[in-house]
């Protein structure tokens, strides 16, 4: 009986976000923030960037509570005095690298599919 109660309590305990989740959550926040202040084209790209990082977090844990994660990431960034411009550049580089890899992969598949 004790082990069953212990297991239940361990599952009910709030998960502490991983460093990877906190890092990706900062990117979600930054893409959302800057995307809401840009041109319609920039807003569209920011939404794609946001979804890229949401996908990374969801891939690690499909039940992530994004409200709690974003709050934890904001508190962590403030505590660590994270520079938004530097962090934004890091997020943009990662997103662009992934977008290029996806584009190149699609070109490769399309080239092989042609008769």
């Amino acid at each position: 009986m004790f082990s069953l109660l212990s297991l239940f309590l361990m599952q009910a305990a709030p998960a502490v976000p991983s460093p990877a989740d906190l890092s990706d959550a900062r990117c979600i926040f930054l893409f959302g923030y800057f995307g809401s202040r840009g041109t319609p084209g920039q807003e569209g790209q920011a939404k794609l960037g946001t979804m890229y990082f949401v996908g990374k977090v969801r891939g690690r844990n499909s039940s992530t509570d994004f409200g709690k994660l974003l709050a934890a990431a904001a508190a962590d960034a403030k505590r660590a005095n994270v520079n938004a411009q530097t962090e934004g550049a890091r997020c943009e580089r990662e997103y662009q690298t992934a977008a290029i890899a996806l584009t190149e992969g699609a070109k490769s598949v399309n080239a092989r599919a042609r008769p």
Side-chain angles (χ1 to χ4, degrees):
M1 178 70 167
F2 176 72
S3 62
L4 186 59
L5 179 60
S6 298
L7 179 63
F8 174 75
L9 290 175
M10 286 188 332
Q11 289 177 341
V16 175
S18 70
D21 284 349
L22 291 172
S23 176
D24 289 341
R26 288 192 302 272
C27 294
I28 291 166
F29 180 77
L30 289 168
F31 269 99
Y33 177 81
F34 290 114
S36 68
R37 285 154 179 72
T39 66
Q42 291 168 329
E43 182 180 346
Q45 283 299 309
K47 285 180 182 178
L48 291 173
T50 298
M51 293 314 299
Y52 167 76
F53 287 101
V54 165
K56 285 183 67 184
V57 172
R58 281 275 190 231
R60 286 189 293 269
N61 182 359
S62 63
S63 63
T64 297
D65 180 330
F66 279 92
K68 290 179 182 176
L69 176 60
L70 291 171
D76 183 62
K78 185 175 182 179
R79 192 172 34 258
N81 200 26
V82 172
N83 180 288
Q85 203 168 20
T86 302
E87 192 72 346
R90 177 192 65 81
C91 298
E92 180 66 21
R93 277 191 310 274
E94 181 180 338
Y95 167 67
Q96 288 299 324
T97 299
I100 290 167
L102 179 59
T103 300
E104 293 302 317
K107 285 180 185 176
S108 175
V109 168
N110 287 335
R112 288 192 303 257
R114 290 189 186 121

